[in-house]
Amino acid sequence: MSDRQDKPCYVLGISAYYHDSAAALLRDGKIVAAAHEERFSRKKHDPDFPAHAARWALEEGGINLAEVSDVVFYDKPFLKFERLLETYHAFAPGGLRSFLTAMPVWIREKLFMRSMLEKELKALPGGDRLPPLRFPEHHLSHAASAFYPSPFEEAAILTVDGVGEWATTSIGMGRNSGIEVLREINFPHSLGLLYSAFTAYCGFKVNSGEYKLMGLAPYGDPDSPQTETFRKLIESELVDIRPDGSYALNMAYFDYATGLRMYRKSAWEKLFGIPPRVAESEDVAQEYMNMALAIQQVTEKIVLLLAKTAREITNCPNIVLAGGVALNCVANGRLLESGLFEKIWVQPASGDAGGALGAALAWWHIGLGKKRKPKPDDSMQGCYLGPQFGADEIRKALKPFKAPYHYMADEQELLGTVATLLDEGLVIGWFQGRMEYGPRALGNRSILGDARNPEMQKKLNLKIKYREGFRPFAPAVPEEDIAEYFDINTKSPYMLLVRPVRQQLLNPRPEGYNKLPIWERLYWQRSSLPAITHIDNSARIQSVSKSTNPRFWELLQTFRRKFGCGVLVNTSFNVRGEPIVCSPRDAYICFMRTEMDCLVLEDFILYKNEQPPLPDDGSWKTEYVLD
């Protein structure tokens, strides 16, 4: 018995079958591995069972499935099915077409989720001995992902997303190892789905384009009567907002409950006086920018009211956040600025992928009753929780391409070379260490550029990422220097806070700035760091810690020592519609398909002008579905 008790206890968390499936492995409550399935399958937002991610996580832990204590799925399928049936019944006879589409899939597959999961788990190494399957509720998984890795002994918990089983928004309290749910808002009333409806109306893809809507909002004119009219129409006709932050949607305007689209087209056209924007149209008209700003303002208002209520009913100075809406880093910045809480912490994998980690942590602390020991920063290890690759694996990956490279074992020589290349205006693919968990590249699977270069944003958007030109880029800065460049008094390690660039770095705006055409505003040099200063003089900041990412931190310091600036552009290593690269092979192919100038794979530097042509007919541009 004592030998058994001395063995480590492993818990495997799984999220799957909606979008952004993932797997996470705990060993005695510590995160050993966590990764999105999309990074392995190369299918953006892959919803399938995370077979590759789970297999890798077990390998990383040095175990097979038979050695896992429990497998924990991130929601309760039967409750979700109950919600589906009750919703169709409530809206009958409407929704018949959607009902006939959804029911066969649920009856054939999802209703028998346990059998589906067991079948997939049996295919993993050690799957001949299946551990018990556990099913916490969806919002408990989100709440657990936010509270348990946080640095707080106790904290208010706010989770906001599209929908789990029934809950769309919850306020809770985390204390020691326990979580108590205090308030909930249920489907069909959903802030996440309200935001997604506007995402769709403005011509972007639901469940992936919400961050584009957030990036478009600052182009809206805050002084325009149209913006104010849109905001008032949203609050008077679409959503009833109460003083405590609770809200109710007017379902006469929405079709997501039982239909096959987010909104009722004729009702929205009549209300707002403009048609839905055509997806992928070349220009974005000012009215859609104003609409994006209006819904962003409403979202921030609701989040702040919910946070205010959370503070009142918990009387706690700390708050943690998760759920897809917690990735709205502008709203997070407003919450920080409000001073409602002394400290805030946002789960970096706030969406459904983070549910895999939250489910595992919920079972560890609540199901198994294990005590919690918060760390001073957090327990996410910088979010560097994915695969890493050694020199031999990199050489093996490059060999089929006959790719010339320069091996630089001296780290200071390597970093000095990279810093000089960046200063010369080159764009660098930067691949090192363990892959990030969550939607942000944080310096291990990144594309880097010089934040001082006024042409860098345009080059990265149009020639590297192949995406819309209006989209902003994030700065990476050593955490010690964050206040020198940005109006912020806390760390922002996960790129989840938007704050202003410091006033002394800004350039005066021309008269009538908000009335200028979008491209004139976009390419106006707003600061001495033009590549990362958004249209409203803000930036989505990543503070880099020496303790969690020493090499990236040292690169920033080297760039500062040599060229007087401690800020670099950091964007994810992928093109539009492609998942962030996982392996050296992924990185090389992405490097060769874009106008990146150099690729750094750990201690290897590759120059584009030395590479043989990639055997390619250009058809890869249709390989990825545009997000």
Side-chain angles (χ1 to χ4, degrees):
M1 180 64 73
S2 61
D3 288 344
R4 184 176 179 82
Q5 289 176 341
D6 289 341
K7 289 183 178 179
C9 179
Y10 293 92
V11 177
L12 179 66
I14 298 288
S15 66
Y17 303 126
Y18 184 46
H19 59 89
D20 293 306
S21 65
L25 182 68
L26 307 181
R27 178 173 55 228
D28 293 334
K30 181 181 179 182
I31 309 168
V32 173
H36 299 233
E37 180 68 7
E38 66 167 20
R39 309 293 167 82
F40 302 90
S41 68
R42 312 307 300 152
K43 178 183 175 184
K44 192 77 176 279
H45 303 301
D46 193 339
D48 295 335
F49 180 84
H52 299 90
R55 185 179 295 268
W56 165 77
L58 293 171
E59 290 175 359
E60 183 68 19
I63 61 168
N64 62 40
L65 191 63
E67 297 170 83
V68 169
S69 165
D70 301 270
V71 176
V72 195
F73 190 69
Y74 79 133
D75 68 10
K76 288 184 177 292
F78 275 102
L79 273 182
K80 190 171 285 189
F81 185 61
E82 175 191 88
R83 185 253 298 170
L84 198 68
L85 288 178
E86 288 194 24
T87 301
Y88 281 122
H89 181 264
F91 285 87
L96 179 62
R97 184 181 170 198
S98 174
F99 178 83
L100 294 174
T101 302
M103 280 303 105
V105 176
W106 268 97
I107 293 171
R108 185 175 65 250
E109 298 177 359
K110 296 186 179 181
L111 193 55
F112 302 100
M113 184 70 75
R114 182 179 291 273
S115 298
M116 288 177 62
L117 290 169
E118 287 176 349
K119 180 182 177 182
E120 296 286 359
L121 289 166
K122 284 177 182 177
L124 297 175
D128 52 330
R129 269 185 62 195
L130 291 183
L133 268 168
R134 314 294 181 179
F135 296 90
E137 289 190 14
H138 184 93
H139 268 252
L140 177 60
S141 294
H142 276 320
S145 77
F147 176 59
Y148 291 127
S150 79
F152 310 132
E153 288 282 355
E154 57 182 45
I157 306 170
L158 178 60
T159 68
V160 190
D161 67 358
V163 61
E165 298 88 4
W166 278 105
T168 65
T169 300
S170 71
I171 294 173
M173 179 67 190
R175 185 178 286 110
N176 299 323
S177 296
I179 289 176
E180 180 184 5
V181 177
L182 302 172
R183 302 275 179 89
E184 283 189 341
I185 298 172
N186 287 336
F187 185 85
H189 309 293
S190 167
L191 179 56
L193 293 176
L194 173 66
Y195 202 84
S196 290
F198 279 90
T199 299
Y201 205 78
C202 289
F204 306 122
K205 192 173 180 180
V206 172
N207 288 332
S208 67
E210 284 77 6
Y211 59 94
K212 297 184 189 181
L213 190 70
M214 182 181 68
L216 185 65
Y219 292 89
D221 184 352
D223 301 319
S224 166
Q226 185 184 55
T227 302
E228 182 65 7
T229 298
F230 284 162
R231 186 191 60 77
K232 288 181 177 178
L233 285 171
I234 294 168
E235 293 191 17
S236 64
E237 301 297 326
L238 296 190
V239 56
D240 177 20
I241 307 170
R242 286 73 180 267
D244 65 353
S246 61
Y247 55 87
L249 271 56
N250 181 351
M251 295 310 296
Y253 285 94
F254 299 93
D255 204 31
Y256 59 74
T258 57
L260 298 175
R261 64 188 308 163
M262 294 300 300
Y263 54 83
R264 298 187 188 275
K265 182 173 179 288
S266 59
W268 279 50
E269 285 184 334
K270 183 178 180 181
L271 180 65
F272 293 112
I274 59 173
R277 176 176 168 264
V278 177
E280 303 304 324
S281 49
E282 187 169 335
D283 286 321
V284 183
Q286 186 62 45
E287 52 257 40
Y288 298 103
M289 303 178 208
N290 293 341
M291 178 175 276
L293 177 57
I295 186 57
Q296 179 65 33
Q297 290 172 339
V298 171
T299 300
E300 292 168 16
K301 177 179 179 178
I302 293 172
V303 168
L304 286 173
L305 286 172
L306 288 166
K308 183 172 180 287
T309 297
R311 179 65 198 257
E312 289 171 354
I313 65 177
T314 64
N315 195 31
C316 184
N318 309 313
I319 189 169
V320 297
L321 297 92
V325 176
L327 293 172
N328 192 308
C329 46
V330 179
N332 296 341
R334 294 280 187 267
L335 177 56
L336 177 69
E337 182 184 37
S338 74
L340 281 169
F341 290 88
E342 293 176 15
K343 294 181 180 179
I344 74 172
W345 190 85
V346 185
Q347 165 56 240
S350 277
D352 275 8
L357 175 61
L361 288 168
W363 181 252
W364 176 256
H365 290 292
I366 300 172
L368 298 177
K370 301 294 185 179
K371 291 185 178 180
R372 176 173 171 265
K373 297 177 182 177
K375 294 193 172 181
D377 287 322
D378 60 48
S379 302
M380 292 296 295
Q381 303 163 49
C383 232
Y384 307 113
L385 299 167
Q388 60 184 340
F389 299 85
D392 290 343
E393 292 170 294
I394 292 171
R395 289 189 180 94
K396 184 178 179 180
L398 295 176
K399 189 174 182 180
F401 300 104
K402 298 182 171 60
Y405 57 77
H406 304 264
Y407 182 74
M408 303 181 75
D410 185 316
E411 181 171 88
Q412 287 306 312
E413 182 184 3
L414 172 74
L415 297 178
T417 299
V418 173
T420 299
L421 295 171
L422 288 164
D423 178 66
E424 292 172 356
L426 276 61
V427 176
I428 310 290
W430 178 258
F431 181 107
Q432 52 128 16
R434 296 187 69 173
M435 182 181 70
E436 299 89 342
Y437 181 51
R440 310 292 184 216
L442 300 170
N444 283 10
R445 301 290 186 276
S446 293
I447 298 172
L448 306 179
D450 185 352
R452 304 166 302 169
N453 189 326
E455 298 298 317
M456 188 55 63
Q457 182 188 14
K458 186 175 184 179
K459 181 177 181 180
L460 285 170
N461 268 331
L462 303 182
K463 296 186 177 183
I464 310 294
K465 304 281 282 188
Y466 302 124
R467 69 184 201 182
E468 300 92 342
F470 69 81
R471 288 169 53 187
F473 288 101
V477 58
E479 64 181 15
E480 301 88 345
D481 302 334
I482 189 171
E484 180 180 341
Y485 299 97
F486 306 102
D487 185 10
I488 188 171
N489 59 3
T490 188
K491 300 173 186 176
S492 179
Y494 302 122
M495 221 182 269
L496 286 169
L497 293 171
V498 166
R499 297 298 298 139
V501 174
R502 289 201 70 87
Q503 185 66 37
Q504 59 264 36
L505 303 179
L506 299 178
N507 298 324
R509 289 184 175 187
E511 190 173 344
Y513 176 77
N514 287 328
K515 308 294 182 187
L516 293 173
I518 181 173
W519 304 116
E520 289 188 39
R521 278 181 285 163
L522 175 61
Y523 297 124
W524 176 262
Q525 194 164 329
R526 289 173 289 280
S527 78
S528 57
L529 300 172
I532 56 86
T533 304
H534 199 19
I535 202 84
D536 59 353
N537 294 336
S538 69
R540 175 164 53 90
I541 308 160
Q542 180 201 0
S543 58
V544 181
S545 168
K546 185 177 183 180
S547 63
T548 57
N549 199 333
R551 176 173 275 201
F552 190 37
W553 181 88
E554 187 57 44
L555 174 63
L556 290 163
Q557 296 290 9
T558 301
F559 193 73
R560 179 177 185 128
R561 286 194 298 270
K562 288 174 71 74
F563 304 110
C565 177
V567 181
L568 291 174
V569 178
N570 175 17
T571 188
S572 56
F573 199 149
N574 61 332
V575 297
R576 183 184 171 194
E578 178 191 19
I580 295 173
V581 300
C582 176
S583 69
R585 182 181 186 277
D586 299 334
Y588 184 78
I589 290 173
C590 184
F591 164 64
M592 291 299 294
R593 286 173 170 176
T594 70
E595 295 185 38
M596 266 183 271
D597 301 293
C598 301
L599 172 62
V600 180
L601 298 169
E602 297 289 353
D603 297 331
F604 300 78
I605 296 185
L606 295 85
Y607 295 93
K608 178 66 66 64
N609 59 12
E610 295 178 353
Q611 304 305 308
L614 190 69
D616 196 6
D617 60 4
S619 61
W620 67 270
K621 291 187 178 181
T622 62
E623 179 180 335
Y624 301 116
V625 178
L626 293 180
D627 61 356

